[in-house]
Amino acid sequence: MMEIKSEIAKMVKDANKTVIIENDDDFDRTLDEIGLDSLDFMSILFSVQEKYNISIPDEDIDGLNTLNKLIRYIDEKK
Amino acid sequence: MIGIDNIGSYIPHNFESNFDKKIKLNIEDDFIVNKIGVERVSRKLSDEDTSDLCVKAFQRLRGKTCSQFKDVDCIVVCTQNPDGNGIPHTSAVVHGKLGFENNCACFDISLGCSGYVYALSAVQSFMASNGLRSGLLFTADPYSKGINPEDKNTVLLFGDAATVTHLKEYEGEKIFWRPRRFKFSTFGKDRDALNNRNGFIFMNGRAIFNFVMKNVPVQIKELLKEESLSISDIDLFLFHQGSRYMIEQLRRLLDLSRKKAPIQISQYGNTISSSIPLMFETYLNSNKLKKIVMSGFGVGLSLATCIFINQS
């Protein structure tokens, strides 16, 4: 999971350079709270699908509103 | 040899500000300026049809050159929003409105955002194989005919415009740009990501984004490799202007500078097949540019990329 966490942090930076993840607490804040909008998240989801060869259906997206939830989702699916 | 001689364009001077829609659609200035990148969208006038946009683009082209255009023998309109119900074809309507001679081939091409690249190949090949010498390729796809004003995915993005590209048979005079190679792809299984539903344009933004990110860089790299070229050999990349964010992500994936992959969308929006020629018009007379790549992608889902060489 640490490896996934590191990759997600990198994907966040690629999606939006202005978003800074400073500590572990940021992974439990909502995407909106850390400054990611819908387009940023779309980019992150694309990167996740490509990197981990998983499919993330539209209906699952609403439940992935923090980075930790996304990380756990990836860990379960891969 | 058939090449591009000149480009003319028309953007209706009738705009809707996206800032005026902020409260209704619950969006912020940053989203408008830095993500979608469209501050205002152009809308055709109520008494304008697709052919009228074409006619005005041609009038602008004629105003830029000394050419009389008396020998035009090919007119093609790239649109998925034709005049009326598409009968007769819009290119015939344009032919009639502009009063061209009868010995002129006219047909329409039904393609969206990939349309300009596809049409350049189709028209250039058609002209070359039939000995035609002077062709006008129009792009005019006013999506405003089907925009739902309540749909945030489309009302903030799509704008109306028309362009006309004059393709000429090279006769020893200077032709600016000739094609080197084209590459085409279609992903019909994903066609529902962008379609017309009960008269309104529907777009699944995420599906389109994924399609573009997954396939556009791959096609560009394949095409360059097949031509023994690298990204550094190309002076300019003209991408279909889907949105600011999309182009920025393409820049990142292909490691392109802002100068090499410009964005030109803020003042009129995503103009479908007109987006690439609207930008190309800006760079047409640059002697510094020797090789450019144009890549159009969208409805279909369809994708086309080409390399053009500056012959002068």
Side-chain angles (χ1 to χ4, degrees), chain B residues 93-290:
Chain B
V93 179
V94 171
H95 176 275
K97 285 183 177 178
L98 289 174
F100 285 114
E101 298 294 327
N102 293 350
N103 58 334
C104 177
C106 293
F107 58 94
D108 292 359
I109 291 178
S110 175
L111 279 165
C113 305
S114 65
Y116 186 63
V117 177
Y118 263 92
L120 280 173
S121 174
V123 177
Q124 175 252 331
S125 306
F126 179 79
M127 288 177 65
S129 62
N130 290 287
L132 304 178
R133 303 166 65 81
S134 180
L136 297 174
L137 164 56
F138 292 90
T139 60
D141 212 351
Y143 266 31
S144 64
K145 289 186 180 184
I147 292 279
N148 178 351
E150 310 299 318
D151 184 358
K152 187 161 86 173
N153 288 322
T154 54
V155 73
L156 298 170
L157 196 58
F158 296 116
D160 297 340
T163 72
V164 57
T165 299
H166 186 206
L167 292 141
K168 275 174 66 171
E169 165 69 28
Y170 176 75
E171 280 181 335
E173 65 198 269
K174 194 168 71 168
I175 290 278
F176 283 110
W177 295 92
R178 66 168 177 82
R180 173 161 165 169
R181 179 80 196 280
F182 292 84
K183 202 165 177 71
F184 313 98
S185 297
T186 305
F187 297 81
K189 64 178 174 52
D190 300 319
R191 62 192 178 277
D192 291 336
L194 209 174
N195 57 14
N196 185 310
R197 298 188 183 184
N198 300 315
F200 289 119
I201 305 291
F202 165 82
M203 184 174 73
N204 179 330
R206 183 186 172 211
I208 298 294
F209 180 84
N210 287 350
F211 155 71
V212 172
M213 294 301 121
K214 193 176 174 87
N215 298 294
V216 171
V218 168
Q219 186 177 80
I220 288 172
K221 287 177 182 173
E222 281 176 356
L223 178 60
L224 291 176
K225 188 177 177 185
E226 287 164 15
E227 290 295 299
S228 302
L229 293 168
S230 65
I231 286 184
S232 61
D233 292 319
I234 305 298
D235 299 307
L236 187 70
F237 287 80
L238 296 178
F239 292 121
H240 162 61
Q241 301 288 288
S243 70
R244 166 170 279 278
Y245 191 73
M246 187 177 280
I247 306 305
E248 286 178 342
Q249 290 300 312
L250 284 173
R251 282 174 179 165
R252 180 177 65 80
L253 290 175
L254 290 165
D255 197 21
L256 300 173
S257 66
R258 289 181 188 182
K259 192 176 173 186
K260 216 164 180 179
I263 295 176
Q264 188 173 307
I265 193 176
S266 68
Q267 297 305 301
Y268 43 75
N270 171 346
T271 54
I272 326 304
S273 52
S274 295
S275 81
I276 293 175
L278 274 170
M279 282 196 298
F280 196 11
E281 184 182 13
T282 309
Y283 294 96
L284 204 59
N285 296 322
S286 170
N287 291 324
K288 293 180 186 173
L289 303 176
K290 301 300 175 198

Side-chain angles (χ1 to χ4, degrees), chain A residues 15 37 40 43 49 56 58, chain B residues 35 206 213-214 245 249:
Chain A
D37 65 25
D40 298 327
S43 177
Q49 290 182 150
I56 305 176
D58 287 345
Chain B
K35 287 298 171 60
R206 183 186 172 211
M213 294 301 121
K214 193 176 174 87
Y245 191 73
Q249 290 300 312

Side-chain angles (χ1 to χ4, degrees), chain B residues 53-126:
Chain B
L53 305 183
C54 295
V55 165
K56 288 175 183 173
F58 177 75
Q59 287 165 344
R60 298 238 181 340
L61 172 66
R62 196 165 49 192
K64 287 165 65 170
T65 81
C66 307
S67 177
Q68 295 298 304
F69 295 99
K70 283 190 180 358
D71 57 349
V72 168
D73 49 18
C74 180
I75 294 173
V76 173
V77 174
C78 179
T79 188
Q80 291 185 315
N81 283 279
D83 274 22
N85 289 318
I87 298 173
H89 41 301
T90 303
S91 49
V93 179
V94 171
H95 176 275
K97 285 183 177 178
L98 289 174
F100 285 114
E101 298 294 327
N102 293 350
N103 58 334
C104 177
C106 293
F107 58 94
D108 292 359
I109 291 178
S110 175
L111 279 165
C113 305
S114 65
Y116 186 63
V117 177
Y118 263 92
L120 280 173
S121 174
V123 177
Q124 175 252 331
S125 306
F126 179 79

